[in-house]
Amino acid sequence: MAKEPSDILEEMNEWLSTRELQLVLVYFSQEGRDSWCALKVFEWLKKENRVDTETMELMVSIMCSWIKKLIEEKEDVGDVIDLLVDMDCVGLKPGFSMIEKVISMYWEIGKKEEAVSFVKEVLRRGIAYVGEDGEKGGPTGYLAWKMMTV
């Protein structure tokens, strides 16, 4: 019988250090691993109040790598959006800079139509992102800026 990642971690909670828990996240970020498991581990860490700044930065880095991989492998825009939604569900709110990075990744490899589709889908699904001070125009404004600077 397969166990949920949170069930396994619950049993080890008392004797795993923060660094060891970060290694669990890294393990699931490796090639061929399931992003769902890493997201469940992160969700459990948040529930147990075991997420420090370094762990948060690590998870954001892992998520950016997965998004980049999806884009480079020509996966559907919907898959990238689904990953952002999954991130949000476990308490890892995508920042505006992450939305910008996704738009830029599409744009820089010549997938301009996908960049437009991505922005449309972000707006259609109402994906919440953490806005930053001085951020103007949201994803639409950033895409328009990319279009004008080419």
Side-chain angles (χ1 to χ4, degrees):
M1 181 174 124
K3 286 186 171 184
E4 291 282 321
S6 59
D7 294 336
I8 295 166
L9 290 169
E10 193 69 44
E11 296 168 8
M12 300 185 292
N13 186 27
E14 296 300 316
W15 49 276
L16 287 179
S17 70
T18 301
R19 176 69 68 200
E20 290 166 328
L21 290 168
Q22 290 172 357
L23 289 173
V24 172
L25 285 175
V26 170
Y27 170 79
F28 286 113
S29 71
Q30 296 173 0
E31 187 72 31
R33 302 286 180 225
D34 187 355
S35 63
W36 177 84
C37 286
L39 288 168
K40 294 303 279 181
V41 168
F42 183 79
E43 181 179 41
W44 178 84
L45 289 170
K46 285 205 54 121
K47 181 184 77 120
E48 295 294 320
N49 200 26
R50 301 281 306 262
V51 176
D52 59 8
T53 303
E54 190 175 319
T55 304
M56 182 65 82
E57 289 172 359
L58 173 64
M59 192 63 192
V60 168
S61 174
I62 289 169
M63 299 312 293
C64 286
S65 295
W66 283 335
I67 289 170
K68 182 178 181 188
K69 183 179 174 206
L70 287 173
I71 291 170
E72 289 173 345
E73 291 180 353
K74 300 177 177 44
E75 296 295 330
D76 186 62
V77 169
D79 293 336
V80 175
I81 294 288
D82 290 343
L83 185 54
L84 291 174
V85 169
D86 290 345
M87 288 170 56
D88 190 36
C89 287
V90 300
L92 187 66
K93 296 248 182 260
F96 182 69
S97 62
M98 185 172 289
I99 302 293
E100 284 180 329
K101 283 179 189 170
V102 173
I103 295 167
S104 290
M105 281 186 230
Y106 278 123
W107 202 263
E108 289 166 10
I109 61 173
K111 294 182 171 187
K112 294 175 171 71
E113 288 181 30
E114 286 85 347
V116 172
S117 294
F118 173 77
V119 170
K120 285 180 180 178
E121 195 64 14
V122 165
L123 297 173
R124 186 184 74 75
R125 291 199 196 183
I127 292 178
Y129 56 87
V130 179
E132 297 167 3
D133 292 339
E135 170 263 306
K136 295 180 182 166
T140 307
Y142 185 74
L143 179 61
W145 177 79
K146 286 300 268 184
M147 290 174 163
M148 292 186 320
T149 59
V150 173

